[in-house]
Amino acid sequence: MTPQLFDSVDAYNAGHPASPFPADRHTRHVLRGYRAALQGVTDDLTGTGSGASLTVDFLPGGAPLPHEADRVGTVVASRWGEGPVLVLAENVSLRAAWRAVTDAWPTHLSGVHTALDALVGAEA
């Protein structure tokens, strides 16, 4: 999947009402997401040259904990829950996406994208 970029959380939410980022910033910041050992994932994918530190979120609701039911949703990267928002995978098992990303343990966004592409290819 080619990542799709939204300028803001509101723009993302308008385009993905079934897998929204929570409106409240505090709630967004406590979602169970991937942060590469709290260092953030380096943006080497968007072509902006920013090298920004990003977090990968699993929406809706964050990556499911082991005792929680799986959900189908969207995987995004953002600047710690703020815009812009980059959609990396849609309509995927959030548990499988979490496992694919954490098994790969990428430090760069391209590595996250590769891990998710393998997952999406396996489900096709």
Side-chain angles (χ1 to χ4, degrees), residues 28-41 53-58 80-81 98 101 105-106:
R28 281 199 305 260
H29 290 273
V30 297
L31 289 172
R32 183 175 184 226
Y34 178 75
R35 294 166 179 84
L38 296 178
Q39 298 301 306
V41 177
S53 178
L54 304 175
T55 183
V56 177
D57 285 299
F58 302 79
W80 304 90
W98 172 259
V101 172
W105 204 259

Side-chain angles (χ1 to χ4, degrees), residues 54-72:
L54 304 175
T55 183
V56 177
D57 285 299
F58 302 79
L59 303 171
L65 293 167
H67 67 278
E68 294 178 327
D70 193 8
R71 296 182 297 282
V72 172

Side-chain angles (χ1 to χ4, degrees), residues 84-100:
V85 177
L86 184 67
V87 175
L88 299 169
E90 299 177 276
N91 298 313
V92 296
S93 156
L94 295 182
R95 184 177 315 286
W98 172 259
R99 285 184 186 142

Side-chain angles (χ1 to χ4, degrees), residues 5-66:
L5 186 64
F6 291 85
D7 291 334
S8 66
V9 170
D10 289 339
Y12 164 80
N13 283 346
H16 291 82
S19 299
F21 252 124
D24 175 68
R25 286 184 183 191
H26 174 72
T27 305
R28 281 199 305 260
H29 290 273
V30 297
L31 289 172
R32 183 175 184 226
Y34 178 75
R35 294 166 179 84
L38 296 178
Q39 298 301 306
V41 177
T42 301
D43 180 2
D44 65 338
L45 191 62
T46 63
T48 63
S50 69
S53 178
L54 304 175
T55 183
V56 177
D57 285 299
F58 302 79
L59 303 171
L65 293 167

